[in-house]
Each structure stands twice: as C-alpha cells, then as structure tokens.
C-alpha cells in the first residue's frame, strides 16, 4: 500500500516538473544566455526569499547578484521571471523602451494604482501630458517664494533645537516638505511644522511604508485574497482610512466634488497652455485632466493627491536628510558649501532667488554625490509588454518584471573607481561627468517615465540648504562605515539623519 502511494507521489512530482519545464520552454530558451543563481525544480529561485527576513538582508542580496553574476541577472520566483539590470547601457534600453512603460505589480501595493506614479501605461500617457504642467519646471520656478517661506520656518524651528545634542531631524525636514507640497500642489497652507497634524500624518506614512515593504518581499502575500486575511491588511486599511479622511477634507475644502460634477469631457483636447501664464497647481490640473482626457472620480482624485504627497514630499525629505548628514560627516565639504552660500546670499533673512540658485555650483555637486550614494529610489521596477531586445546576446521576454538596479550602478567601482563607496563631490566635476555613460547616474530615473518633479526638487533642496547652512554648523558622530541602509519602498538610512546643530555667529 505505502509503496504504491510513494510511487504515485514521485510520479506526480516528476510529471509536474516535466510539465512546468515544457510549459515554460520558450521563456527558458529566451533567458538561456542570462546569468543567475541555480534553479530548483518547480520553485525556481523562490528559496532566495527565505533569506529576506530583514530589509538589510534584501539590500545585501541585491548587491550580491550584481557582484556574482554578469548583468542581466535572471531570477525565477515561482512562474514569474525577474530580470535585474546592472549596467548603464541596459538601463538605457529599459527606460526608453515603449514596451517598458508599465510599472510592476509591486507598485499596486501602494494602493494608488490610478495615480500617475503607478498607473498602467495606457492611462499614464494622458495623465503625464496634463500633469507635467503642474509639476514641471514652470511651477518650480513660480514656487520659489513658498520654498523660501517654508524653509525659513524650518530654519527658525531648528534654533529651538540647536543645543548641540545629536538627534534625528528627518521628521522636521519632512514636515517642511509636506507643507510645501500641500501649498504648491493644492493651494492650502496646513502649517504642519507648527501644528500636530504633521507628526500624525508622518506616523501613518512610516507605518504604511513598513507594511508595504514587508509585503513586497513576501510573494506569498501578493495574491489579494491571501493578503486580506492578514493583520497587516487590517492595519493597512485602517491607516488608509485615516489618511483618506485628511485627503477628503482637503477635497471638501477645495470644492472638488462640485467642480467634478460641472466638468464635461472635451472631444478634442488641446495641449495645455502654460506660456507666459502662472501654471495651474496640481489639483487644478487634475480637474483639467478630467475635462480634457479622462473623466475622474472622487476616488481617482484622492489617489492622485496621495500619490503626489508621497512622490514629492517623502523623496525630497529623505534626500535632504541624506545631504545634511553628508555635510555633517564631511566638515571640509560643509565649509566649501558655507563659503559658496555666503558669497551668494549671506543675509540670514534674505530670500534665495532663482539667480542665486544657479550660482550654487559646488552645492549642486554635493547634492549629486549624495543622490549617487543614497538614491531614494534604489530600483525601478517595470513590466515588459512585448519582447525587448537588450543587446545582441539578450532579449527580455514579454511579461517579465524588469528591475533597474540604480543603487548598484551608481556605486559600481568599474564606473566610479575603487573609492566608489566614498563621498566625493568632485565625481561630478564636468570633465569627469563627461567621460561617464549618461545612465551611470539616474537618481530621478530617466526616459519618458522619469521623475516629473526634477526641477521642483532641485530648486527646493538648494533653497532649504541655504536657509540651514548659513545659520548652522552641522556635526555627526556617524561615519560612512557606520551607516546602515534600509531597502524599503524608498531607500532610507536606518541610523536616520543623526546630526547635531550649532548656531553660527
Ligand atoms: C530628490 C527628490 C526626488 C527624487 C530623487 C525623485 C525620484 C523619482 C524617481 C526615481 C521616479 C521614477 C520612479 C520609477 O520609475 O519607478 C520618480 C517619479 C515621479 N516623481 Fe519624483 N523624485 C523626487 C522628487 C519629486 C518631486 C518634488 C515631485 C513633485 C512635486 C515628484 C514627482 C514625481 C512623479 C509625479 C513621478 C511619476 C512620474 C511618471 O510616472 O510619469 N518627484 N521620482
């Protein structure tokens, strides 16, 4: 009897292995030239995920794929094919391919899959055309006053904390970036820096990101019907409900529902007109999008607003925190930035103009070098909608998840030299930059679906730096070796922005 059961089980497993290989024969042939860890029958490389117990483990694993295997690296998680790209040439092909414009399923976990950041390519095209007006260079230039006002509030608040003791300043910076985004995108002044709302919102955001990160690295939780049974799902929904209350309150304040009702979709939309006029803010451009291209619902608008708060605020705050930490860690670099700032706009109460910003060339090198070592988006993950020819050797099959390893490329010693892991703003001197592949450095991603807020982020960050550096000296006990990376939805430092600040005379 037992013999029969065992023979039956073994035959079933063999049949399944043969069937699985046969049904995937085309895909396996297509990726035969690619490197990767050994494949086990049926489960492929899923065993790798067992080691993903912490975000640091994930970071080390991703790093190691690139070190051990030549790009592209192919990983089979169950039936899904994941292709990791570690070379600038391949990233260029990926990010410019018209068949690689849709985000991978992981972005859906953010629950904003109708917002511009995660939407599928066919919806995204119209959104991008309409929304670039309200996030592009024109709004960044028009928003310099807001950037100055809110950065001055941050700098004043820091005076209360300038006691020379080390603490994590991330939340202080993040409240400033939230204030700015709310103001420029929605025309509302919440003054999060001086009220309790900011702490409450950031607490929700941190918890949400932790939950989503855990899900991203647990494929067993990918199917919604399984995930719905978990405690994480319940908590995620509670957080979303609380955050949405705030979003709906904003929408009510701006009469969004009434405005949506009065919107009629135009038959032949015109390109948005921005020349010589103050550009529309984000919320108004959403209403324009609804009128011109896609009828939006209240839920659509809420998703767009949540998207922009996350895409615009957390990214900028995290990058700013890293910049301040790098300045604190490298006093000689901080001194050069201070000198440049004092030559450009020395008066502590003086607003920073767009002309001033253009003169802050060394400060720009410092920001670039920080974003090289600590890109907030360490990877970009897309899905191929057709086969994509990477090069003469490799073609990525349709329906693969493609992961562009920005973090690894930006630290690759074959590109950046043996000191690639060290902080050196001179890496971005024009003569050095000219010798590198343009896709060796892409903290804002690249190609048609790159970051929409590049100019916005640049103007805002430089203004914040001026307001802080001309008033305070930054110090830290952290060293480059003691920094621990947290690989979550955004790349963060586990140590936080641990600095002490002292008032300058
Ligand atoms: C230092 C700050 C920032 C960095 C490093 C950054 C980086 C990025 C990256 C890497 C992407 C592409 C993600 C992907 O392909 O999966 C992205 C997308 C995006 N970012 Fe940023 N970002 C920053 C600030 C901002 C700001 C301030 C805004 C708006 C005010 C913004 C708006 C967006 C939007 C709307 C997208 C989606 C674009 C699309 O899918 O068409 N970002 N950002």
């Amino acid at each position: 009897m037992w013999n029969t059961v065992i023979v039956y089980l073994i035959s079933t497993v063999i049949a399944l292995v043969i069937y699985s290989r046969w049904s995937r024969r085309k895909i396996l042939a297509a990726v035969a030239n690619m490197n990767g860890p050994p494949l086990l029958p049926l489960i492929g490389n899923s065993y790798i995920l067992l080691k993903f117990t912490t975000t640091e483990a994930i970071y080390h694993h991703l790093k190691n794929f690139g070190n051990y295997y030549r790009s592209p690296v192919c990983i089979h998680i169950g039936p899904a094919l994941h292709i990791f790209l570690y070379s600038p040439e391949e990233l260029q092909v990926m990010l410019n391919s018209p068949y690689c414009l849709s985000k991978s399923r992981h972005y859906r976990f953010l629950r904003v899959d109708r917002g511009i950041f995660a939407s599928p390519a066919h919806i995204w095209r119209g959104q991008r055309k309409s929304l670039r007006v309200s996030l592009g260079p024109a709004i960044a230039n028009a928003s310099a006053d807001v950037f100055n006002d809110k950065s001055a509030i941050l700098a004043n608040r820091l005076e209360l904390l300038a006691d020379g003791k080390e603490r994590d300043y991330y939340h202080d910076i993040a409240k400033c970036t939230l204030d700015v985004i709310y103001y420029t995108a929605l025309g509302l002044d919440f003054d999060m820096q001086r009220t309790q709302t900011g702490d409450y919102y950031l607490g929700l955001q941190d918890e949400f990101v932790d939950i989503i990160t855990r899900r991203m690295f647990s494929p067993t939780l990918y199917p919604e019907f399984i995930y719905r049974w978990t405690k994480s799902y319940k908590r995620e929904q509670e957080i979303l409900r609380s955050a949405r209350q705030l979003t709906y309150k904003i929408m009510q304040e701006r009469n969004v529902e009434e405005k949506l009702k009065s919107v009629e979709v135009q038959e032949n939309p015109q390109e948005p007109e921005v020349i010589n006029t103050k550009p529309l803010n984000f919320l108004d451009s959403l209403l324009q999008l609804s009128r011109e291209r896609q009828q939006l619902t209240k839920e659509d608008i809420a998703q767009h607003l949540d998207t922009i708060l996350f895409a615009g605020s957390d990214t900028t705050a995290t990058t700013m925190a890293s910049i301040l930490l790098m300045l604190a860690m490298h006093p000689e670099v901080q001194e050069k930035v201070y000198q440049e700032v004092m030559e450009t706009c020395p008066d502590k109460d003086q607003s920073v103009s767009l002309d001033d910003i253009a003169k802050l060339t060394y400060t720009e090198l410092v920001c670039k070098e920080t974003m090289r070592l600590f890109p907030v988006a360490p990877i970009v993950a897309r899905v191929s909608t057709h086969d994509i020819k990477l090069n003469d050797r490799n073609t990525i099959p349709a329906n693969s998840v493609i992961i562009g390893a920005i973090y690894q490329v930006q630290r690759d010693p074959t590109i950046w030299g043996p000191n690639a892991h060290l902080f050196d703003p001179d890496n971005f001197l024009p003569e050095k930059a000219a010798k590198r592949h343009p896709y060796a450095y892409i903290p804002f991603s690249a190609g048609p679906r790159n970051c929409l807020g590049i100019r916005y982020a640049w103007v805002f960050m430089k203004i914040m730096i001026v307001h802080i550096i001309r008033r305070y000296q930054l110090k830290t006990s952290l060293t480059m070796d003691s920094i621990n990376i947290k690989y979550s939805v955004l790349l963060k430092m586990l140590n936080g922005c641990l600095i002490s600040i002292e008032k300058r005379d």
Side-chain angles (χ1 to χ4, degrees), residues 155-401:
N156 286 338
R157 286 194 68 247
L158 292 183
E159 189 157 341
L160 305 173
L161 305 165
D163 56 3
K165 289 201 188 113
E166 249 182 16
R167 62 190 282 275
D168 183 358
Y169 283 90
Y170 172 72
H171 273 193
D172 304 281
I173 302 165
K175 281 187 264 183
C176 175
T177 59
L178 270 178
D179 264 353
V180 163
I181 295 283
Y182 271 118
Y183 204 105
T184 53
L186 313 172
L188 290 173
D189 191 358
F190 277 107
D191 202 0
M192 299 242 178
Q193 299 192 75
R194 291 179 294 197
T195 58
Q196 299 296 315
T197 333
D199 288 313
Y200 173 69
Y201 180 86
L202 288 172
L204 290 180
Q205 186 175 289
D206 289 348
E207 207 186 336
F208 183 71
V209 167
D210 280 348
I211 292 174
I212 300 309
T213 306
R214 277 202 296 279
R215 186 175 182 199
M216 277 186 177
F217 293 102
S218 316
T220 47
L221 299 179
Y222 285 9
E224 201 63 24
F225 69 90
I226 296 180
Y227 182 59
R228 276 172 192 262
W229 290 97
T230 62
K231 275 192 191 144
S232 299
Y233 173 75
K234 284 197 190 76
R235 183 61 195 141
E236 177 205 285
Q237 291 300 308
E238 279 167 19
I239 295 172
L240 280 176
R241 269 194 297 277
S242 309
R244 271 295 143 78
Q245 266 174 15
L246 187 60
T247 311
Y248 284 142
K249 208 174 119 196
I250 295 166
M251 289 166 62
Q252 211 174 4
E253 226 161 288
R254 297 287 321 270
N255 292 328
V256 169
E257 267 191 277
E258 288 69 31
K259 286 180 188 164
L260 273 179
K261 278 182 205 146
S262 63
V263 155
E264 276 176 36
V265 179
Q266 289 174 3
E267 292 291 324
N268 298 308
Q270 306 288 311
E271 282 301 303
E273 183 64 58
V274 277
I275 305 143
N276 293 335
T277 58
K278 191 171 185 298
L280 294 178
N281 72 28
F282 186 67
L283 184 55
D284 292 331
S285 340
L286 283 175
L287 295 168
Q288 190 170 17
L289 169 69
S290 187
R291 191 163 49 243
E292 294 180 344
R293 295 174 199 276
Q294 307 159 2
Q295 187 102 50
L296 299 180
T297 61
K298 185 180 161 194
E299 168 66 18
D300 290 334
I301 300 264
Q303 285 206 13
H304 274 292
L305 297 185
D306 290 348
T307 299
I308 208 58
L309 287 176
F310 185 71
S313 168
D314 207 12
T315 47
T316 313
T318 305
T319 306
M320 261 309 290
S322 305
I323 294 171
L324 296 185
L325 187 62
M326 287 304 104
L327 289 174
M329 212 178 271
H330 302 90
E332 65 302 340
V333 173
Q334 186 178 166
E335 182 56 28
K336 279 174 88 171
V337 170
Y338 176 67
Q339 293 305 335
E340 185 176 75
V341 164
M342 294 314 276
E343 275 164 31
T344 314
C345 33
D347 183 345
K348 290 185 174 45
D349 299 317
Q350 186 184 345
S351 270
V352 189
S353 69
L354 294 174
D355 285 344
D356 295 334
I357 282 172
K359 291 181 199 144
L360 298 173
T361 49
Y362 183 72
T363 307
E364 187 165 320
L365 303 189
V366 171
C367 298
K368 283 185 172 168
E369 177 67 349
T370 308
M371 287 192 275
R372 175 182 80 79
L373 288 168
F374 307 104
V376 276
I379 54 168
V380 278
R382 305 270 173 90
V383 70
S384 52
T385 45
H386 286 72
D387 289 357
I388 299 172
K389 189 170 187 289
L390 257 191
N391 48 40
D392 291 343
R393 269 174 67 82
N394 298 297
T395 296
I396 297 178
N399 298 318
S400 309
V401 176

Side-chain angles (χ1 to χ4, degrees), residues 103 107 116 124 128 311 315 319 376 380 382 443 449 451 456:
K103 301 282 174 104
Y107 289 74
I116 181 168
W124 162 80
R128 177 103 183 179
T315 47
T319 306
V376 276
V380 278
R382 305 270 173 90
R449 203 161 183 179
C451 175
Y456 186 107

